[in-house]
Amino acid sequence: MATTFTIDPVSRIEGHLKIEVTVDTVGGEQQVIDAKSSGTMFRGFENILIGRSPLDAPHITQRICGVCPVSHGMASCKTIEDALPLTPPANGRILRNLVLGANFIQSHILHFYHLAALDYLNTTGILDMPPWSYRYVTADMASGADAEHFVTSYLQALAIRRKAHQMGAIFGGKLPCCTSFNPGGCTDVAETGKIDDFRTLLTEIRTFIDTVFIPDVQLLGGIFSNYFGLGSGCGKLISYGVFDLDSAGTTKFLDRGIYDGSAVGTMDPSLISEYVGYSNFTSPSNLHPSVGETAVVADKVNAYSYIKAPRYGSDVYEAGPLARMKVSGHYSGGISSMDRIVARAEETKLIADAMDGWLNDLTVGADSYTQPTAISATVSGEGLTEAPRGALGHWISIGSDSKTSRYQVITPTAWNCSPMDDSGNKGPVEQALIGTPVNEVDQPVEILRVIHSFDPCLACSVHMLRPDETKPVQVIDVPAGL
């Protein structure tokens, strides 16, 4: 007999995500046969920006998320620079890459050690305290010496994440939410002492990545090799590209493109659209974000999420480190829950190693910022970049009064945790969950492993609680440690 239940909220992510699944026996195995991914809050940042100076946007949008604010600052700067147009000096471009790279590193380390790995570990008798208890304990979890090893690495990773924040703050002013990102470049400057301090921290972080992080991911992948065959999802990947290597932004360290399930191809931003058939919005469906609307409604029939459904050419696409690495030719593995974890770790090393070279490209004392000119005409712009969790786009329209008349954001988690579109096509997380085996319905750790492999960030996607949510058939209350 089929059982329907929710995990509400899913913890060890940023924000409030509800997952409803139906589990039944198929071919003698109990597995997920249906899934719904729901963002249970509304994000109003787009509406907050209307009527404000466009130059406010990079600093306001960084408050969308405390984990990946730098990416929002980058996307916002790029969309305003596209509208004006305005090109940052070389030093400004490089400094922004270095701050963004520091944010990627801390986020990737956070994901593995402090958000995802706990799904695989039984720390009973090792750490009997939050966040390690209350906990699910299943027969397949790593225990004993392996669990003790990961706990030691977990503690090391906390210190390394702090140092990654410290490193990014050298040129960012502070982290989270850096102050130096502005349209026209970076308002900090390259000085010898700052470069040396940055490199000292980077060297220590690179050593951790090489000697602890990568080996730990390989160890987990070896123990749980079956997860290379679970959570494949929609099978299509999208990347906007990130870390500009030239002033025009045409050459990127990690490429822009799509993987359509069989081959890598080019990505055309005009083919991006958002559907709202099952989302709590009243705007028309299938709008390009440049003309998108953010008009929310709480009681829409059949709607189950405050996240829209982004699609590329009307198809479902997954965003994230796996997409970037696959599109750029740096990852030859498959698409699965464990592939997402492995690709994320390998990307961490790739970025950290490249950052050491970017430091060498800085010219001490050179200009890093170009002051924007006055905005006196109706213009629009598009800013595409990548957050740690995947493709991030900002779109702006500026009126004749020099104020923002429209602003739209599509986050990585909007791609990955989207609900069904108007044609009934499920989002990437929903598709990835279907077919996942569940050994114990009251301890559905397998479901958490698939969800956490995407590293959802609901704070990026939604921002207001819906208080009258009707609960489904059965609810599992998940304690804070899980």
Side-chain angles (χ1 to χ4, degrees), residues 139-164:
D140 69 336
M141 283 181 163
S143 58
D146 285 334
E148 289 183 1
H149 169 80
F150 279 110
V151 169
T152 299
S153 297
Y154 177 105
L155 297 174
Q156 288 180 268
L158 287 172
I160 292 296
R161 281 191 57 233
R162 175 180 59 80
K163 291 181 179 182

Side-chain angles (χ1 to χ4, degrees), residues 1 13 137 156 167 187 219 257 264 301 317 329 331 340 375 377 392 394 429 462:
M1 181 178 176
I13 66 168
V137 177
Q156 288 180 268
M167 180 174 68
T187 54
L219 174 61
V264 172
V301 176
Y317 275 77
Y331 191 75
R340 293 185 190 100
I375 304 168
L392 172 65
H394 286 209
V429 167
V462 288

Side-chain angles (χ1 to χ4, degrees), residues 217-275:
V217 170
Q218 292 171 341
L219 174 61
L220 190 78
I223 298 172
F224 293 91
S225 58
N226 57 316
Y227 277 85
F228 283 104
L230 294 174
S232 59
C234 61
K236 296 183 177 182
L237 308 170
I238 188 167
S239 168
Y240 292 164
V242 67
F243 301 113
D244 294 346
L245 299 181
D246 58 24
S247 59
T250 53
T251 304
K252 300 180 183 296
F253 180 66
L254 294 170
D255 296 336
R256 176 178 295 182
I258 60 167
Y259 175 75
D260 65 3
S262 59
V264 172
T266 58
M267 196 280 291
D268 180 357
S270 70
L271 298 180
I272 299 168
S273 60
E274 294 180 289
Y275 292 83

Side-chain angles (χ1 to χ4, degrees), residues 241-383:
V242 67
F243 301 113
D244 294 346
L245 299 181
D246 58 24
S247 59
T250 53
T251 304
K252 300 180 183 296
F253 180 66
L254 294 170
D255 296 336
R256 176 178 295 182
I258 60 167
Y259 175 75
D260 65 3
S262 59
V264 172
T266 58
M267 196 280 291
D268 180 357
S270 70
L271 298 180
I272 299 168
S273 60
E274 294 180 289
Y275 292 83
V276 298
Y278 292 87
S279 304
N280 292 103
F281 295 91
T282 59
S283 54
S285 256
N286 195 21
L287 289 180
H288 188 269
S290 64
V291 294
E293 301 174 7
T294 305
V296 70
V297 56
D299 55 357
K300 181 176 176 180
V301 176
N302 295 324
Y304 63 92
S305 181
Y306 283 95
I307 303 175
K308 298 177 185 178
R311 297 293 185 258
Y312 179 77
S314 76
D315 289 335
V316 181
Y317 275 77
E318 171 186 330
L322 178 59
R324 290 190 292 266
M325 293 289 279
K326 197 84 168 175
V327 165
S328 300
H330 296 300
Y331 191 75
S332 59
I335 300 175
S336 70
S337 296
M338 194 57 67
D339 282 300
R340 293 185 190 100
I341 292 173
V342 173
R344 191 182 301 266
E346 292 184 2
E347 181 185 72
T348 311
K349 174 174 171 53
L350 198 69
I351 293 170
D353 291 348
M355 288 168 64
D356 191 64
W358 297 342
L359 286 170
N360 296 332
D361 294 336
L362 288 169
T363 301
V364 174
D367 289 341
S368 58
Y369 175 67
T370 300
Q371 181 74 33
T373 57
I375 304 168
S376 58
T378 301
V379 292
S380 60
E382 174 181 85

Side-chain angles (χ1 to χ4, degrees), residues 461-480:
S461 304
V462 288
H463 271 284
M464 181 184 74
L465 179 64
R466 176 178 178 177
D468 60 345
E469 182 68 43
T470 301
K471 298 298 182 183
V473 179
Q474 177 185 352
V475 176
I476 294 180
D477 293 320
V478 182

